[in-house]
Amino acid sequence: VQLQASGGGLVQPGGSLRLSCVASGNIIAINNMAWYRRPPGKARQEVARITSTGSTTYGHSVKGRFTISRDNAEKTVYLQMNSLKPEDTAVYYCNADLNIGSASGWENYWGQGTQVTVSS
């Protein structure tokens, strides 16, 4: 079972990127899915979260610019990032609560991270 993130890269200020994260393996169900980021020299912070029913929450600094969505059939969560700023530069990680049929029920998994750099 793993989460595989992709879509990062170098973009100019004001540009856009779309991150994707696919959950693979023997997964029975997926609950909350989220994106976090770790800017250089700073602590990890939650960017956006989406529940299994589609309810969303956003960090204050990205509200109105970023959109989180999910495709339950494809076990994928997306992060559409618009109007990117240099301060959005970070390694972005996906996170999900997965039910893989273990005795402990829901387990929390992290993706490997994808670098987003916003610079002219």
Side-chain angles (χ1 to χ4, degrees):
V1 175
Q2 65 175 352
L3 299 177
Q4 182 71 40
S6 61
L10 173 64
V11 63
Q12 292 187 341
S16 299
L17 280 176
R18 189 193 197 205
L19 306 183
S20 300
C21 177
V22 181
S24 61
N26 189 20
I27 299 168
I28 296 173
I30 303 176
N31 197 0
N32 294 334
M33 305 183 84
W35 288 95
Y36 288 75
R37 68 186 182 186
R38 186 187 296 275
K42 297 184 178 180
R44 187 177 62 200
Q45 53 192 232
E46 183 172 308
V47 175
R49 175 173 293 271
I50 185 167
T51 69
S52 59
T53 57
S55 296
T56 58
T57 56
Y58 295 92
H60 176 73
S61 62
V62 307
K63 199 172 295 185
R65 300 187 297 121
F66 290 11
T67 302
I68 189 171
S69 61
R70 63 191 285 171
D71 183 330
N72 291 327
E74 297 295 327
K75 299 184 177 67
T76 301
V77 62
Y78 303 99
L79 185 68
Q80 177 66 44
M81 305 185 293
N82 299 328
S83 302
L84 282 161
K85 304 174 181 180
E87 52 263 43
D88 294 318
T89 295
V91 179
Y92 284 71
Y93 300 89
C94 56
N95 177 273
D97 295 321
L98 307 179
N99 187 331
I100 62 170
S102 67
S104 59
W106 296 104
E107 297 183 13
N108 190 256
Y109 284 80
W110 289 91
Q112 86 286 6
T114 184
Q115 176 71 47
V116 172
T117 302
V118 184
S119 175
S120 55

